[in-house]
């Protein structure tokens, strides 16, 4: 897909995000908007996904013979749900059920409701990279040449388990794993530098034995190019970590440059103001 | 009283190791993970024969649980192993989210459960793990009684689809279960039929219950003794059938009174057939350093304790 088309998808996903969160008056728009370009770039361009005869995506839990994606910072579920629906894993109309009783779209991703696209629950932070490591290890054992992607938050890097996994993955030569850190510099209680300084995450991952790339996660050209570079760098003995600079709330001006919208839903006026900034490209659900 | 004999005493963790060795040969999907304790978990044979199916995780248990969960996606059957304390309380949230809530086919297999690892003391003992694990929806909790039963349980859980917590120990205990006895998850084993009192025991306390049965028989008390190797799912039918007959019960376990087998039995009785119940368990206390025998004595996890509780509970029958 050409970048222009991906950008159109991203605009619709951002509309979905603010509408979903508004519809239930809860959820996490900020990080979701920041990671929209990455998720669109992955699911609509970079990832090798299993498809049926009619070229529609099909989900099976095993992920055998295709790339797998793990969302570690599960609170940005709106962007994942929107991208999965827009990619064809489940009806777009189901986005309206987000966070509501009996929905498959739980506040944080879960497997209990059997939502296509979700392979493990996430939300309690720090756990996704370990699960991705297990999936990547399993692919090695099964001699499946496909890749495993894992997105984490930068605040989440404060969890110790991340660094258990960060040491394990290079030690086991899981060069079929591509981790992405959403470096937006914000967490619930304020800027990460103030709450608990992560220092230089790229240097840290390099020291742990990873090949490190950097990208602007809100520039679709750069997202596509860096994901291609990461795929090229895989299979050479080192796992790959992309430090992805993003802006929380990207695409909605009043949600940017603040941590205020980490877990806050827009009211009716704010929703209208947000939607006015985002083109409806694929039709609202 | 039915007579049980044994030719040797063995540790239950070696039963786990023997089961893993057999699975290594019979089931190509089984992989073992460990957090720097392979000798303690008796994984040497499995590792020697299947080096490509062993994953050393280092001293990083949280990551080990997540890796195990991820491995299941590829149809592999991961056995994540460490000491009971570090495979339960230390990683409870990881087990909760990545294994139980995600319904992943992970087998958490832990040694040094209870008091009887002995001299290391309370930091390495755990008396709360059954309670923690049985509280997780969908988690199966198993505490076999001897070498043969632990080996059989290890092999059986590989064929069962779903998360399992298998708990075993370090001290040598009589190996009396028939080597060919099939292990049925959730199916209690009647060891002795009796009319006066039901004794429900798990793990290392099963042999103590048999010893107690002999002492009680000498005093004219006819005890029914049942091995509850699976604490969850609990064999409610076996428990109720027995207590309908005897009218009272004693539970025996190497665990905290809060949250253990005794609590599970109490719940079944209270909801279905209220009857006097006494519990042999550690009473709201951490352990300490000592030999296994000294600790069992000091914390009242002995045949003598079971006898005393049995006599007391019979007195409470109306």
């Amino acid at each position: 897909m050409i970048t222009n088309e991906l950008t159109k998808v991203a605009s619709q996903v951002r509309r979905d995000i603010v509408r979903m969160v508004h519809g239930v008056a809860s959820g996490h728009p900020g990080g979701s908007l920041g990671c929209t370009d990455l998720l669109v770039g992955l699911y609509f361009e970079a990832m090798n996904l299993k498809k049926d005869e009619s070229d529609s995506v099909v989900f099976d839990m095993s992920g055998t013979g295709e790339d797998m994606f793990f969302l570690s910072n599960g609170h940005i579920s709106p962007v994942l749900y929107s991208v999965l629906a827009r990619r064809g894993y489940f009806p777009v109309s189901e986005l309206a059920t987000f966070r509501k009783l009996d929905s498959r779209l739980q506040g944080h991703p879960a497997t209990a409701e059997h939502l296509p696209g979700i392979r493990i629950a996430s939300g309690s932070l720090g756990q996704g990279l370990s699960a991705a490591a297990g999936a990547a290890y399993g692919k090695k054992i099964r001699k499946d040449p496909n890749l495993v992607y894992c997105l984490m938050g930068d605040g989440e890097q404060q969890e110790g388990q991340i660094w258990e996994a960060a040491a394990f993955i290079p030690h086991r030569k899981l060069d079929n794993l591509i981790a992405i850190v959403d470096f937006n510099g914000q967490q619930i209680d304020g800027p990460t530098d103030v709450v608990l300084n992560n220092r230089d995450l790229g240097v840290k991952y390099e020291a742990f034995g990873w090949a490190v790339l950097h990208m602007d996660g809100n520039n679709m050209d750069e997202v596509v190019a860096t994901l291609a570079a990461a795929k090229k760098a895989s299979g050479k003995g080192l796992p790959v970590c992309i430090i992805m600079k993003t802006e929380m709330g990207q695409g909605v001006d009043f949600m940017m440059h603040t941590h205020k919208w980490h877990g806050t839903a827009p009211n009716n006026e704010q929703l209208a103001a947000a939607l006015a900034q985002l083109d409806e490209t694929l039709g609202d659900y | 009283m039915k007579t049980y004999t044994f030719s040797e005493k063995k540790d239950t963790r070696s039963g786990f190791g023997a089961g893993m060795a057999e699975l290594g040969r019979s089931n190509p999907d089984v992989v073992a993970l460990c957090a720097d304790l392979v000798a303690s978990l008796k994984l040497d044979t499995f590792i020697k024969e299947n080096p490509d199916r062993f994953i050393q995780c280092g001293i990083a248990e949280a990551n080990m649980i997540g890796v195990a969960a991820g491995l299941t996606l590829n149809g592999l059957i991961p056995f994540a192993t460490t000491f009971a304390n570090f495979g339960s309380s230390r990683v409870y949230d990881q087990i909760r989210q990545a294994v139980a809530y995600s319904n992943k086919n992970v087998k958490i297999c832990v040694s040094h459960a209870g008091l009887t690892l002995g001299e290391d003391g309370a930091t390495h003992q755990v008396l709360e793990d059954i309670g923690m694990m049985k509280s997780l929806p969908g988690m199966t909790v198993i505490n076999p009684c001897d070498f043969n039963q632990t080996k059989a349980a290890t092999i059986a859980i590989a064929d069962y689809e779903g998360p399992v917590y298998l708990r075993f120990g370090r001290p040598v205990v009589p190996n009396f279960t028939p080597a060919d006895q099939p292990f049925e998850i959730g199916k209690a084993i009647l060891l002795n039929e009796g009319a006066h009192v039901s004794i429900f025991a798990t793990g290392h306390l099963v042999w103590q219950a048999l010893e107690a049965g002999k002492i009680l028989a000498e005093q004219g008390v006819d005890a029914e003794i049942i091995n509850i190797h699976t604490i969850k799912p609990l064999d409610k039918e076996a428990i109720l059938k027995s207590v309908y007959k005897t009218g009272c019960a004693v539970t025996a376990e190497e665990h905290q009174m809060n949250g253990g087998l005794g609590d599970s039995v109490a719940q079944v009785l209270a909801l279905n057939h209220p009857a006097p119940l006494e519990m042999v368990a550690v009473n709201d206390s951490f352990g300490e350093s000592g030999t296994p025998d000294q600790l069992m004595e000091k914390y009242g996890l002995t045949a003598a304790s079971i006898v005393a509780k049995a006599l007391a509970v019979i007195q409470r029958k109306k």
Side-chain angles (χ1 to χ4, degrees), chain B residues 79 142 144 148-158 166 183 185 229:
Chain B
F79 282 63
I142 301 172
N148 283 346
Q149 189 162 72
T150 307
K151 181 181 175 185
T154 303
I155 293 162
I157 62 174
L166 179 69
F183 187 88
I185 295 170
H229 52 67

Side-chain angles (χ1 to χ4, degrees), chain B residues 134 197-202 205-206 208-209 212 224 226 228 231 234 239 243 248-269 275-282 300-303 305-310 313 316:
Chain B
K134 78 178 187 186
V197 58
S198 302
I199 300 173
F200 302 113
T202 191
L205 270 290
V206 173
Q208 298 299 322
E224 180 142 301
I226 295 178
I228 310 279
I231 291 133
L234 193 62
I239 288 165
V243 178
C248 65
V250 175
T251 57
E253 62 195 307
E254 193 181 340
H255 189 270
Q256 235 15 294
M257 196 177 287
N258 285 324
L261 170 67
D263 271 6
S264 292
V265 171
Q267 186 184 95
V268 170
L269 295 179
L277 174 68
E278 295 281 345
M279 299 182 194
V280 172
V282 175
L301 308 181
T302 59
S305 296
I306 298 170
V307 169
K309 297 276 187 186
V313 84
R316 290 173 52 201

Side-chain angles (χ1 to χ4, degrees), chain A residues 30-32 34-35 73 75-76 153-155 181-187 191-192 218 244-249 258 262:
Chain A
S32 295
C35 291
N73 49 331
H75 57 275
I76 67 164
D154 56 350
V181 179
D182 175 22
F183 177 39
N184 61 25
Q186 305 284 352
Q187 57 191 110
T192 49
N218 296 134
M244 176 177 78
K245 185 80 192 77
T246 69
E247 191 57 55
M248 245 179 142
T258 171
H262 163 86

Side-chain angles (χ1 to χ4, degrees), chain A residues 41-53:
Chain A
L42 279 170
Y43 275 91
F44 286 81
E45 179 66 27
M47 284 172 72
N48 172 36
L49 300 171
K50 201 172 289 178
K51 300 187 184 79
D52 61 14
E53 303 76 38

Side-chain angles (χ1 to χ4, degrees), chain B residues 2 18 55 72 79 110 130 139 186 221 223-224 228 233 269 291 316:
Chain B
K2 196 172 165 189
I55 302 173
T72 64
F79 282 63
V110 293
I130 290 174
M139 180 66 75
V221 175
E224 180 142 301
I228 310 279
L269 295 179
T291 68
R316 290 173 52 201

